[in-house]
Amino acid sequence: MHARAVISSAAALLGTAALLLPLSPARAAGDTARPLVTAHRGASAYAPENTLAAVDEAAALGADWVENDVQRTKDGELVVLHDDSLRRTTDVEEVFPGRAPWKVKDFTLAEIARLDAGSWFGPAYAGARVPTLEQFVDRVEHHRQKLLLEIKNPQLYPGIERQALKVLGNQGWLDRRHVKHRLIVQSFSADSVRTVHELKPAVKTGFLGTPPAADLPAYAAFTDQINPSHASLSAGYVAAVHALDGAHGKPLEVFTWTVNDAAAARRVAGFGVDGIITDTPDVVRDAVRD
Ligand code: G3P
Ligand code: CA
């Protein structure tokens, strides 16, 4: 059994007592202590989600990892936005009143570029734009951060996996340095994760969800992470994931989401998770550092 599996099993056995244990040095990966704090849609509690401002805010707060959501426009460009509609996070209703339900896939990049993706969050962010994947990746690179890229709604965008990998390659993110240490591609769609793995086996991948423990070996064939909601997480489940090797022959990891308060952060850290995805990277970092 891996050292990590032993630790996680111990946490499972100890139950709440495990919350009192210090984070194990065995969690260290390279020079980065675990759990790795990942800014969800950027530092989205403090800046409009999935914008360049949210990446900047994550960097200002010291978050090494940034998560985003990638979808495709009507004219085939990749943009960073969470919902399949532009309605919640832009002024699309005002700019294009006759175009309900304002789906991303029904708007061209030029049309989306006209939208204000910041005012809904606060006047300080008026004029923020929906970034292209290129722009987002370049901003992450500018800050020397790491990217947890989510392929969102892949069923709406056939071929998006290949296209996202092409953009990443064009932006220099598929060289050994990035692939080994700075990039993970994840999705709620197992098919999408499997496709990324088959297209670029070197790229680290994550499956978003909580598959039954009995099914984990099948996932381990094509993914390196199982990334569940923290609401559905237990120490026992983390131990079950850690007990298996993932697609790259290393123990399967767990990045859990979306953890925004100190108590929940300490709880999942006590389970032995490898990463915490959060809108409030400062809160989580301070909580797990304690
Ligand atoms: O990275 C995990 C998290 O982003 C998954 O949920 O809906 O925020 O994309 P969602
Ligand atoms: Ca996401």
Side-chain angles (χ1 to χ4, degrees), residues 40-41 67 69 82 150 152 186 188 208 257 277:
H40 180 237
R41 312 180 194 170
E67 191 258 8
D69 302 286
H82 179 270
E150 182 183 341
K152 185 59 97 185
Q186 65 172 359
F188 282 102
L208 282 161
W257 46 275
I277 301 167

Side-chain angles (χ1 to χ4, degrees), residues 82-132:
H82 179 270
D83 300 0
D84 65 356
S85 166
L86 293 151
R87 185 165 171 267
R88 179 177 62 88
T89 56
T90 76
D91 59 350
V92 69
E93 277 181 284
E94 291 162 35
V95 180
F96 298 103
R99 302 270 297 272
W102 301 286
K103 299 284 186 187
V104 177
K105 67 180 178 55
D106 295 332
F107 285 78
T108 65
L109 181 62
E111 289 171 336
I112 291 174
R114 290 174 54 193
L115 304 177
D116 180 339
S119 288
W120 70 275
F121 189 87
Y125 295 99
R129 299 295 161 191
V130 174
T132 63

Side-chain angles (χ1 to χ4, degrees), residues 56-288:
D56 294 343
E57 188 61 35
L61 294 173
D64 285 345
W65 282 86
V66 176
E67 191 258 8
N68 72 358
D69 302 286
V70 177
Q71 302 192 68
R72 189 158 71 202
T73 67
K74 184 178 180 182
D75 52 344
E77 300 295 330
L78 296 187
V79 292
V80 178
L81 196 94
H82 179 270
D83 300 0
D84 65 356
S85 166
L86 293 151
R87 185 165 171 267
R88 179 177 62 88
T89 56
T90 76
D91 59 350
V92 69
E93 277 181 284
E94 291 162 35
V95 180
F96 298 103
R99 302 270 297 272
W102 301 286
K103 299 284 186 187
V104 177
K105 67 180 178 55
D106 295 332
F107 285 78
T108 65
L109 181 62
E111 289 171 336
I112 291 174
R114 290 174 54 193
L115 304 177
D116 180 339
S119 288
W120 70 275
F121 189 87
Y125 295 99
R129 299 295 161 191
V130 174
T132 63
L133 178 57
E134 284 96 335
Q135 290 167 338
F136 196 96
V137 162
D138 286 351
R139 188 61 68 99
V140 172
E141 180 69 51
H142 170 78
H143 292 302
R144 298 286 181 265
Q145 292 160 301
K146 301 164 188 177
L147 179 63
L148 176 58
L149 183 157
E150 182 183 341
I151 297 183
K152 185 59 97 185
N153 303 318
Q155 70 283 0
L156 298 177
Y157 313 110
I160 190 172
E161 298 83 8
R162 184 182 294 277
Q163 188 177 1
L165 289 168
K166 187 162 184 354
V167 170
L168 288 167
N170 290 346
Q171 303 308 114
W173 273 69
L174 292 185
D175 64 8
R176 191 170 170 279
R177 196 166 46 91
H178 285 83
V179 160
K180 230 173 151 25
H181 302 291
R182 295 181 56 193
L183 176 67
I184 303 166
V185 178
Q186 65 172 359
S187 180
F188 282 102
S189 161
D191 286 344
S192 191
V193 177
R194 192 185 295 105
T195 298
V196 170
H197 177 67
E198 288 172 359
L199 288 170
K200 277 284 174 208
V203 170
K204 192 168 172 177
T205 57
F207 173 71
L208 282 161
T210 314
D215 294 347
L216 290 173
Y219 286 83
F222 60 85
T223 194
D224 303 282
Q225 299 185 333
I226 300 293
N227 297 342
S229 162
H230 76 99
S232 64
L233 201 57
S234 67
Y237 190 79
V238 174
V241 174
H242 282 166
L244 296 168
D245 282 347
H248 289 94
K250 294 183 180 162
L252 268 180
E253 297 178 341
V254 176
F255 276 35
T256 191
W257 46 275
T258 304
V259 177
N260 290 335
D261 66 85
R266 289 193 198 100
R267 175 175 166 270
V268 297
F271 293 164
V273 299
D274 303 279
I276 299 177
I277 301 167
T278 174
D279 301 341
T280 54
D282 52 340
V283 171
V284 169
R285 183 200 54 220
D286 290 350
V288 301

